[in-house]
């Protein structure tokens, strides 16, 4: 009897901001490697999630959301990162929100079709759809006139519908051995992930606008026996923003640090000593040179 064929390949995960791409990648990988929040544009970097299954391995390229507005260098950089993720992939996963298709979804779909790779549609957040009878007509509507290799209603948060989605994606990648070891979950370093976990708390705990004027740089990352000693700088663009991040008596910055440290300890499976500082660098988000020094590389 022949053993089942093993498949492995790259899949770009694309969609407009805030449709749950990172939550879906984390659910498929089985570990938190992409930060999440209810704010659009939480993801700023391309990040590889390695999802290994009995029948194959999916290398999921999580990307910033493609969006029309390109007001600042940061927005232009994120669009380049999202489009650059399409190079050399075997398939693409377009993630949309159940019950909604707008111009930015069309923009993402058109970018995928231009590459010629097969596209699987994941209709996410179906758990939020109160009237389930509207789902089938919606699936039919978004599929009309568009080429999808498969369409899957899923809930990344509740981990529903993921097995069938994995089967469809594995069918589109080459027959070959695994490209990464079974225990590897991302190509990013722990240092990078530490910075992202601090930035996640900035996205979650600050107001609607301020997180977009912040970024995080890890200045120190030292292994001290079983302890990780990490020093993180939160960069803002104005002195007034610095005061907001720190909060009254330093309370908000302590809260950000505590929550980020707990996430790090869970992900790295070891004790973490985290120090955080806030510094000002005017106009960093609209300065290509500043972006490069802060780790935003094409």
């Amino acid at each position: 009897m022949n053993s089942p064929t093993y498949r492995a390949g790259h899949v770009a995960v694309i969609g407009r901001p805030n449709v749950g791409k990172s939550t879906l990648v984390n659910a498929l990988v089985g570990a938190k490697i992409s930060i999440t929040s209810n704010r659009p544009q939480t993801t700023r970097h391309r990040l590889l999630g390695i999802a290994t299954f009995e029948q194959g391995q999916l290398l999921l390229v999580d990307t910033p959301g493609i969006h029309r507005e390109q007001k600042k260098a940061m927005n232009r950089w994120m669009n380049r990162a999202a489009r650059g993720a399409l190079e050399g992939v075997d398939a693409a996963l377009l993630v949309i929100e159940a019950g909604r298709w707008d111009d930015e979804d069309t923009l993402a779909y058109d970018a995928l079709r231009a590459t010629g790779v097969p596209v699987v549609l994941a209709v996410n957040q179906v758990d939020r759809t109160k009237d389930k009878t509207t789902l089938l007509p919606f699936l039919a509507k978004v599929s009309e006139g568009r080429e999808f290799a498969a369409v899957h209603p899923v809930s990344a948060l509740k981990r529903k519908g993921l097995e069938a989605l994995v089967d469809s994606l594995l069918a589109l990648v080459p027959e070959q051995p695994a490209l990464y070891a079974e225990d590897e979950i991302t190509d990013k370093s722990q240092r990078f992930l530490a910075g992202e976990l601090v930035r996640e708390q900035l996205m979650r705990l600050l107001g609607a606008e301020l997180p977009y004027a912040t970024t995080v740089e890890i200045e120190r990352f030292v292994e001290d026996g079983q302890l990780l000693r990490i020093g993180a700088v939160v960069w803002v663009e104005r002195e007034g923003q610095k005061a907001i991040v720190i909060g009254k008596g330093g309370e908000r910055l302590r809260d950000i640090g505590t929550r980020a440290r707990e996430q790090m300890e869970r992900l790295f499976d070891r004790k973490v000593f985290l120090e955080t500082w806030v510094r000002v660098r005017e106009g960093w988000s609209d300065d290509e040179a500043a972006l490069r020094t802060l780790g935003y590389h094409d």
Side-chain angles (χ1 to χ4, degrees):
M1 191 171 106
N2 292 332
S3 59
T5 302
Y6 197 90
R7 293 175 177 270
H10 290 79
V11 177
V13 184
I14 297 287
R16 64 175 165 77
N18 219 26
V19 292
K21 296 184 298 298
S22 296
T23 303
L24 182 55
V25 168
N26 289 341
L28 292 171
V29 170
K32 180 172 180 173
I33 56 164
S34 290
I35 64 171
T36 61
S37 81
N38 60 5
R39 309 253 181 240
Q41 300 171 33
T42 300
T43 301
R44 290 178 178 172
H45 300 264
R46 273 180 282 176
L47 183 140
L48 191 70
I50 304 164
T52 303
F53 308 95
E54 189 176 339
Q55 68 274 39
Q57 188 176 73
L58 295 173
L59 309 179
L60 302 161
V61 188
D62 191 15
T63 62
I66 292 179
H67 47 99
R68 289 191 183 280
E69 288 192 6
Q70 300 192 35
K71 293 177 182 175
K72 290 190 172 185
M74 169 64 79
N75 303 110
R76 294 190 294 273
W77 184 88
M78 287 194 293
N79 268 357
R80 288 199 305 273
R83 292 178 185 278
L86 299 176
E87 295 173 12
V89 298
D90 303 295
L93 180 61
L94 175 61
V95 185
I96 66 168
E97 179 186 341
R100 179 179 170 189
W101 181 286
D102 64 19
D103 289 347
E104 287 189 317
D105 295 307
T106 301
L107 184 71
Y109 173 78
D110 289 345
L112 292 178
R113 289 307 303 154
T115 67
V117 299
V119 180
V120 171
L121 179 67
V123 182
N124 193 25
Q125 302 172 357
V126 293
D127 51 303
R128 297 184 186 176
T129 305
K130 290 179 181 172
D131 184 0
K132 303 298 184 191
T133 63
T134 63
L135 197 53
L136 279 177
F138 175 73
L139 296 180
K141 183 180 176 184
V142 297
S143 300
E144 192 177 343
R146 299 187 179 100
E147 290 182 48
F148 293 117
V151 177
H152 290 278
V154 301
S155 168
L157 199 60
K158 307 281 188 184
R159 297 174 183 258
K160 302 288 187 184
L162 301 188
E163 285 187 18
L165 175 62
V166 167
D167 288 343
S168 289
L169 291 171
L170 283 173
L172 298 173
V173 301
E175 295 182 12
Q176 61 179 335
L179 300 171
Y180 287 85
E182 193 175 334
D183 61 350
E184 290 184 89
I185 56 173
T186 184
D187 64 336
K188 293 294 189 183
S189 66
Q190 289 188 337
R191 187 186 191 109
F192 171 86
L193 295 171
E196 287 289 273
L197 289 171
V198 175
R199 195 167 62 79
E200 177 180 52
Q201 297 309 320
L202 293 169
M203 299 294 288
R204 291 186 170 199
L205 297 178
L206 298 176
E209 295 302 322
L210 189 55
Y212 304 115
T214 64
T215 195
V216 177
E217 182 180 20
I218 299 299
E219 274 199 341
R220 187 174 73 254
F221 192 98
V222 177
E223 295 192 34
D224 183 1
Q226 288 301 305
L227 180 71
L228 278 178
R229 296 184 180 276
I230 300 172
V233 177
V234 177
W235 289 99
V236 296
E237 297 192 304
R238 295 192 300 275
E239 282 293 337
Q241 294 168 345
K242 180 177 178 178
I244 294 170
V245 174
I246 293 171
K248 188 175 180 181
E251 188 175 344
R252 182 174 282 126
L253 187 60
R254 277 196 300 273
D255 196 14
I256 288 166
T258 298
R259 294 184 185 208
R261 177 184 54 76
E262 289 170 352
Q263 290 286 340
M264 290 177 200
E265 290 181 340
R266 195 170 295 129
L267 181 60
F268 303 150
D269 194 26
R270 61 199 301 184
K271 282 290 182 186
V272 172
F273 177 73
L274 174 66
E275 290 182 286
T276 53
W277 302 273
V278 186
R279 296 177 189 155
V280 179
R281 183 166 185 167
E282 289 187 13
W284 70 263
S285 67
D286 201 21
D287 181 336
E288 295 273 2
L291 286 172
R292 284 192 293 275
T293 64
L294 292 170
Y296 295 89
H297 305 291
D298 286 337

